[in-house]
């Protein structure tokens, strides 16, 4: 992997917000390394944006180690891999769903960030962007597994802001509301009708809407740190208040 372009790493780039972010950053002149479990999708995207596709399972320490070993230097890391499984009250919580959400969103972010931090610092102008959610500061009935994981991911991310003070790395949290991607399909185990219902009668954000905001944060001058950006559809006032026509 030899390139004169600065490198941006995007996790969970095989679909949705991650894929759109990879396109956005490539458009800004980055060499983008795209990682996810579905390598074929990453390869197609990498071919389109002249980037590099690598297999990555953020829940697997060996996979993260192999991924990072193949990235000689990085200036930007976008922690995007994540998602939700299920929608159940705490009294009926499915431990496997909770474990998946904590492993992917929280420990996945920890593993990749920790491994890439030395090269982000070394770049002299590093940037860690983490895609959390409005679920990182809001809770809603039946969402405890996801909201607790996103709260923890956000706490981990915001802790970096202080720990990195004095070193050349910016830290930006992106907290979107409803975005129409495969998110709900994954959450509801492939149930297309149930997933479509999440966005029925309202206009959700698109993956590109979020990617453009990430691109804006990354393209500010090095001394400008956008700490937290919350973006929601106009039709959504909170996790539980959505206007539907
Ligand atoms: P998506 O289309 O389902 O994308 C999720 C991505 O995460 C996929 O590329 C998936 O790739 C990757 N991923 C899942 N588990 C992984 C693992 N173990 N290792 C590596 N990659 C993994 O959904 P999305 O909406 O774009 O989600 C992206 C992020 O935005 C997530 O963190 C999500 O929580 C957050 N978010 C979404 C919304 C929304 O309404 N859509 C709102 C707020 C925040 P593979 O399956 O190929 O591994």
């Amino acid at each position: 992997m030899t390139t004169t372009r600065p490198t941006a790493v995007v996790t969970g780039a095989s679909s949705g917000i991650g894929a759109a972010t990879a396109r956005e950053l490539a458009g800004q002149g980055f060499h983008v390394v795209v990682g996810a479990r579905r390598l074929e999708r990453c390869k197609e995207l990498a071919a389109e944006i002249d980037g590099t596709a690598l297999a990555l399972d953020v829940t697997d320490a060996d996979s993260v180690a192999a991924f990072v070993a193949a990235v000689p230097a990085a200036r930007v890391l976008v922690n995007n891999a994540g998602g939700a499984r299920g929608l159940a009250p705490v009294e009926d919580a499915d431990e496997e769903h909770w474990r998946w959400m904590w492993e992917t969103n929280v420990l996945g972010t920890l593993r990749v960030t920790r491994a890439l931090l030395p090269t982000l610092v070394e770049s002299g102008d590093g940037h860690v962007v983490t895609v959390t959610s409005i679920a990182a500061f809001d809770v809603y009935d039946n969402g405890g597994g996801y909201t607790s994981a996103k709260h923890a991911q956000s706490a981990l991310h915001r802790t970096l802001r202080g720990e990195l003070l004095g070193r050349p790395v910016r830290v930006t949290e992106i907290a979107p509301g409803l975005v129409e991607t495969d998110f709900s399909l994954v959450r509801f185990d492939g149930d297309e009708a149930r997933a479509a219902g999440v966005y029925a009668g309202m206009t959700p954000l698109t993956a590109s809407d979020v990617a453009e905001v990430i691109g804006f944060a990354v393209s500010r001058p090095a001394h400008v740190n956008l700490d937290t950006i919350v973006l929601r559809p106009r039709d959504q006032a909170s996790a539980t208040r959505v206007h539907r026509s």
Side-chain angles (χ1 to χ4, degrees):
M1 194 188 302
T2 49
T3 172
T4 52
R5 293 172 287 166
T7 295
V9 172
V10 180
T11 70
S14 59
S15 65
I17 296 167
T21 300
R23 289 191 179 94
E24 175 72 24
L25 296 180
Q28 288 187 13
F30 282 94
H31 169 241
V32 187
V33 178
V34 293
R37 294 167 303 176
R38 287 170 294 176
L39 183 58
E40 274 313 309
R41 280 172 169 243
C42 290
K43 282 183 175 165
E44 281 171 29
L45 176 59
E48 175 194 323
I49 63 174
D50 191 19
T52 300
L54 296 172
L56 173 66
D57 180 348
V58 298
T59 69
D60 177 344
D62 291 340
S63 170
V64 173
F67 177 84
V68 169
V71 181
R75 188 170 100 50
V76 174
L77 164 63
V78 182
N79 285 309
N80 166 78
R85 294 296 304 276
L87 195 63
V90 170
E91 60 191 334
D92 295 328
D94 178 326
E95 271 195 39
E96 277 312 310
H97 283 170
W98 277 61
R99 192 168 288 111
W100 186 95
M101 289 186 271
W102 279 73
E103 272 287 345
T104 311
N105 295 284
V106 188
L107 291 170
T109 295
L110 168 65
R111 288 188 188 100
V112 179
T113 305
R114 185 178 53 192
L116 281 175
L117 260 183
T119 108
L120 293 166
V121 173
E122 181 69 21
S123 77
D125 182 20
H127 201 152
V128 179
V129 177
T130 302
V131 182
T132 62
S133 168
I134 60 170
F137 55 83
D138 223 348
V139 296
Y140 53 91
D141 295 356
N142 308 325
Y146 185 60
T147 58
S148 62
K150 286 300 191 185
H151 274 67
Q153 183 190 28
S154 170
L156 151 66
H157 171 89
R158 286 180 287 120
T159 300
L160 281 175
R161 180 76 172 99
E163 290 178 354
L164 290 170
L165 201 57
R167 283 185 279 173
V169 182
R170 286 181 285 160
V171 177
T172 300
E173 175 177 4
I174 304 288
L178 287 167
V179 191
E180 191 163 15
T181 62
D182 288 347
F183 175 87
S184 295
L185 210 54
V186 172
R187 173 169 236 172
F188 300 129
D189 216 9
D191 184 335
E192 289 183 10
R194 201 172 171 200
V198 173
Y199 313 106
M202 55 89 64
T203 306
L205 299 175
T206 65
S208 298
D209 293 330
V210 182
E212 283 174 16
V213 170
I214 293 172
F216 178 77
V218 168
S219 59
R220 292 313 86 205
H223 67 286
V224 179
N225 194 99
L226 284 164
D227 284 30
T228 307
I229 303 175
V230 179
L231 66 155
R232 277 185 277 243
R234 188 178 61 192
D235 286 340
Q236 182 180 30
S238 73
T240 51
R241 293 192 65 202
V242 178
H243 171 77
R244 296 182 197 273
S245 54

